[in-house]
Amino acid sequence: MSQIPSAADRVYLVTGGNAGIGYFTAEQLAGTGATVVLGSRSVERAEAAMEVIRARVPGARVRSVSLDLADLGSLRGTADSLEVGRLDAVVHNAGVLLEGLERRETRDGNEVHFGTNHLGHFALTHWLLPLLKAAPSARIVTVGSFAAKSERLDLDDLQSRAGYRAKRTYGRSKLAQMYFGLELDRRLRAAGSTVSSVVVHPGGALDSLTPSRPPVHVRKAGAALRGTAAALVLQGKHEGARSAVRAVLDSQIAGGELWGPRVFGLRGQPHHERLWAQLEDAETAQRLWEASTELTGVLHIAGAVEATFGRADAPATRASWGVLPPASTSQVRCR
């Protein structure tokens, strides 16, 4: 896309829009004239991000909404608080990456990476679908990760109870998101919905190659110098956001596609990628969907999209997927 099209009459939601790739996605979408809503756990960080966007994009229409993907019970309230008649796109970008050896859980009793990155977005989509259906051709954009390319899901241990390793669990949670985005599109098409679902990834996006947006992101001179060599194969987060932005704006992109950077999947302009080998496994995607339905309690919504989330009489046996009783919210680092 050589030019960003005008989207002055549209409303976009970016989860985790206060920092990292989410911030740059929001900044670039604000340049279209659309109303951009930043979903964030922190009111202060959301306010800071909106101030920076307004300073860089004259006339930007941005606002925020409280969003805690680790608290499944709060997500209906998040959707209601949007107070819009329709939603033209949602970018499922927010995510957590723990540091350390300790396995942690959300207040709902799910492992933090899987519960926040995947299950939170799965449940949020349920509550957003009526608003997405109200738009002429809405789009759900799920931001995966290049880190997921080398991972495989363990359907017998989605909660990572055995041999927990933070980076592996994070990669698997992002892979689960990507499976979800593809399976969602299959179900939307089967239901005859006008909503489509696209999966993207940012490639290799480093802070050291990302331009400063103080106080949201401050790049020190030393970091910029250290990132010079890496720029041969990687890119900054402002460039990593382009896959998601294009997936929102380009009407020629079809549902069920995967988009990422052109050069080795790590840097460069977004392009249509062939699905990774594991993502072609529709059976795993279906089984993950069934597990996610049970773990979130999301069984159905009324009308034509009922088929999207299963029948009202579907079983909800959380214990069968290894969920413990609700635990207190863990302190995690959000990207």
Side-chain angles (χ1 to χ4, degrees), residues 315-331:
T317 54
R318 289 171 57 83
S320 67
W321 295 95
V323 179
L324 296 178
S328 60
T329 304
S330 300
Q331 297 297 315

Side-chain angles (χ1 to χ4, degrees), residues 142-190:
T142 299
V143 181
S145 172
F146 196 78
K149 191 169 187 178
S150 60
E151 297 295 343
R152 298 294 186 273
L153 283 188
D154 184 350
L155 291 169
D156 295 322
D157 188 24
L158 291 174
Q159 301 289 351
S160 298
R161 301 192 186 284
Y164 172 80
R165 295 204 304 270
K167 288 185 178 180
R168 181 180 68 180
T169 302
Y170 169 79
R172 289 180 175 180
S173 73
K174 300 302 289 185
L175 180 60
Q177 279 190 269
M178 298 172 83
Y179 271 122
F180 162 59
L182 296 172
E183 179 66 12
L184 175 61
D185 193 74
R186 284 190 282 265
R187 292 176 183 248
L188 288 168
R189 283 188 279 115

Side-chain angles (χ1 to χ4, degrees), residues 111-131:
E111 190 281 321
V112 166
H113 296 93
F114 181 69
T116 305
N117 302 350
H118 170 60
L119 294 180
H121 282 117
F122 183 93
L124 179 64
T125 303
H126 166 81
W127 298 115
L128 294 178
L129 267 174
L131 295 176

Side-chain angles (χ1 to χ4, degrees), residues 73-318:
S74 70
L75 298 180
R76 180 174 185 175
T78 294
D80 291 342
S81 65
L82 287 171
E83 297 182 344
V84 294
R86 78 181 203 198
L87 186 63
D88 294 277
V90 56
V91 180
H92 288 328
N93 160 83
V96 296
L97 173 57
L98 285 177
E99 295 176 340
L101 302 176
E102 180 184 359
R103 178 186 177 278
R104 301 183 185 178
E105 295 180 346
T106 68
R107 68 182 60 188
D108 300 295
N110 296 301
E111 190 281 321
V112 166
H113 296 93
F114 181 69
T116 305
N117 302 350
H118 170 60
L119 294 180
H121 282 117
F122 183 93
L124 179 64
T125 303
H126 166 81
W127 298 115
L128 294 178
L129 267 174
L131 295 176
L132 291 161
K133 281 186 60 189
S137 55
R139 183 159 288 173
I140 299 164
V141 178
T142 299
V143 181
S145 172
F146 196 78
K149 191 169 187 178
S150 60
E151 297 295 343
R152 298 294 186 273
L153 283 188
D154 184 350
L155 291 169
D156 295 322
D157 188 24
L158 291 174
Q159 301 289 351
S160 298
R161 301 192 186 284
Y164 172 80
R165 295 204 304 270
K167 288 185 178 180
R168 181 180 68 180
T169 302
Y170 169 79
R172 289 180 175 180
S173 73
K174 300 302 289 185
L175 180 60
Q177 279 190 269
M178 298 172 83
Y179 271 122
F180 162 59
L182 296 172
E183 179 66 12
L184 175 61
D185 193 74
R186 284 190 282 265
R187 292 176 183 248
L188 288 168
R189 283 188 279 115
S193 177
T194 59
V195 182
S196 61
S197 174
V198 178
V199 175
V200 304
H201 72 88
L206 299 181
D207 283 337
S208 60
L209 298 175
T210 303
S212 287
R213 294 290 192 272
V216 175
H217 170 67
V218 178
R219 183 177 67 168
K220 298 180 179 179
L225 290 174
R226 289 193 297 272
T228 302
L232 296 173
V233 292
L234 304 174
Q235 60 189 359
K237 292 186 176 179
H238 62 305
E239 295 172 314
R242 291 185 297 188
S243 294
V245 172
R246 179 159 183 176
V248 170
L249 299 176
D250 190 347
S251 61
Q252 299 303 308
I253 292 179
E257 291 183 354
L258 171 65
W259 281 68
R262 182 178 299 277
V263 183
F264 305 119
L266 293 172
R267 65 181 300 272
Q269 293 290 340
H271 80 130
H272 179 198
E273 288 189 23
R274 179 176 178 176
L275 288 183
W276 302 342
Q278 67 270 47
L279 291 177
E280 294 180 335
D281 185 354
E283 181 180 355
T284 293
Q286 292 169 9
R287 291 184 61 192
L288 174 65
W289 185 283
E290 294 167 1
S292 303
T293 299
E294 296 179 4
L295 291 170
T296 59
V298 172
L299 297 180
H300 76 290
I301 61 177
V305 294
E306 179 171 309
T308 304
F309 282 93
R311 303 184 310 277
D313 59 350
T317 54
R318 289 171 57 83

